[in-house]
Amino acid sequence: MKIKLLFFCLISVVMLDAQSYVFGKVTSEDGIQLAQVSVINMRTDERSETDTDGQFMIRGERGDELRFSRAGYERVTLTVAAANLEKPVSIVLQSITQEIEAVNLRYQATGNLREDVRHFGDRGKVKQLKEEVSDYISRKSSREVLAPRHGEFVQPVGPGIPIGKVKDRWDDVDLMIYLIESLGEDYFTEELKISRTEIQPFIYYVFANFERRQALKYGAADGAVVARFVDAAHKRIDSYHNRTAPSHNIP
């Protein structure tokens, strides 16, 4: 039995020596040892992986292409040379730079109309673009520019075809949802001191004297609409509390 075991070990050593290996270490650009880096021999499709110390070993021959890859790092390819079969190789992976999206924090209305309008209104490039577009639209074109060219079709001017009343793009429910999302429920519960179940009834109470035709017509609202609502809400909150307060009959 011992002779058979010795013979098997001898055969294994001979077979191991007959194969060539590439071994070494994988680190980051900061010199940190990288574990779980995938190592693939593109010729044989043999795969390996680095250990916790960044060490790896894979079968390979001269001219083989070894590919090193790991999530978050740029892929590296090594063409095996004769020297790589005799001494360890050192592979350095460069991390991929990822841009982080900017996060805009929602501003909570304070009740100060001037301050709230400054935060909810258009700012920066959006404000500048709107001003430029408004200025361009307000300019009058010359008659020479508007005049039709020779042979150009001119649409005859007439009374047109009646199409009936144009339906609003929004209703009060849409505007109410927009106001709650813009101001946040905490504005109503903490600033105005009403419960969550009273938010919608209170908004409808303010709507009774709140101009909103333009917002409903075009299906859009801006900071100015939100600021006007905040001002109206603070003016009507006392009457709403008095209206909903329980009455006590004095005998």
Side-chain angles (χ1 to χ4, degrees):
M1 183 66 182
K2 293 182 178 180
I3 297 176
K4 290 183 179 180
L5 181 60
L6 179 61
F7 178 77
F8 177 78
C9 293
L10 180 60
I11 294 297
S12 299
V13 171
V14 172
M15 292 180 63
L16 184 62
D17 291 339
Q19 298 175 346
S20 56
Y21 285 83
V22 179
F23 58 95
K25 179 184 291 188
V26 181
T27 61
S28 66
E29 65 267 34
D30 299 327
I32 300 175
Q33 301 167 351
L34 296 179
Q36 297 181 342
V37 176
S38 177
V39 186
I40 305 174
N41 187 322
M42 303 303 294
R43 180 181 63 84
T44 63
D45 200 34
E46 182 177 349
R47 300 167 184 265
S48 182
E49 192 175 79
T50 58
D51 58 16
T52 55
D53 296 326
Q55 303 283 352
F56 73 94
M57 184 173 67
I58 188 170
R59 280 192 291 264
E61 298 178 0
R62 182 176 179 181
D64 286 354
E65 181 180 305
L66 302 183
R67 184 170 296 174
F68 300 82
S69 61
R70 179 182 169 178
Y73 292 85
E74 295 181 359
R75 187 172 57 191
V76 172
T77 301
L78 170 69
T79 301
V80 179
N84 302 139
L85 302 173
E86 300 174 357
K87 59 182 180 180
V89 297
S90 179
I91 303 297
V92 178
L93 298 185
Q94 301 289 334
S95 59
I96 299 175
T97 303
Q98 297 180 348
E99 295 183 358
I100 301 176
E101 296 182 358
V103 178
N104 295 324
L105 300 178
R106 179 188 297 175
Y107 171 78
Q108 296 293 335
T110 63
N112 186 324
L113 181 59
R114 180 177 298 177
E115 185 68 17
D116 291 341
V117 169
R118 186 174 68 85
H119 284 277
F120 285 113
D122 297 323
R123 302 177 64 187
K125 294 183 178 180
V126 176
K127 181 179 180 181
Q128 179 181 357
L129 178 60
K130 287 187 175 182
E131 291 177 352
E132 293 176 354
V133 172
S134 177
D135 179 65
Y136 175 78
I137 295 176
S138 64
R139 297 179 184 177
K140 294 183 178 180
S141 300
S142 63
R143 294 185 177 182
E144 292 77 9
V145 174
L146 298 177
R149 299 178 181 178
H150 178 71
E152 184 178 18
F153 172 76
V154 179
Q155 177 69 37
V157 179
I161 302 175
I163 60 175
K165 182 180 178 180
V166 179
K167 184 179 179 181
D168 292 340
R169 294 187 178 182
W170 269 6
D171 55 21
D172 283 343
V173 175
D174 296 319
L175 182 57
M176 176 189 65
I177 294 174
Y178 173 83
L179 292 171
I180 295 176
E181 291 179 349
S182 299
L183 295 172
E185 292 186 353
D186 292 341
Y187 165 72
F188 295 92
T189 58
E190 297 180 6
E191 182 72 19
L192 300 180
K193 306 300 181 183
I194 60 177
S195 65
R196 294 182 183 276
T197 58
E198 291 180 303
I199 294 177
Q200 294 186 11
F202 173 72
I203 292 177
Y204 281 122
Y205 179 72
V206 177
F207 278 176
N209 297 313
F210 185 72
E211 173 56 42
R212 58 194 183 280
R213 288 177 296 179
Q214 293 296 320
L216 300 180
K217 179 179 179 181
Y218 296 106
D222 55 11
V225 175
V226 176
R228 286 196 301 106
F229 176 83
V230 170
D231 183 55
H234 280 272
K235 290 180 179 179
R236 305 210 67 189
I237 187 60
D238 291 337
S239 62
Y240 177 79
H241 283 310
N242 295 334
R243 176 173 172 269
T244 57
S247 58
H248 300 280
N249 295 327
I250 300 176

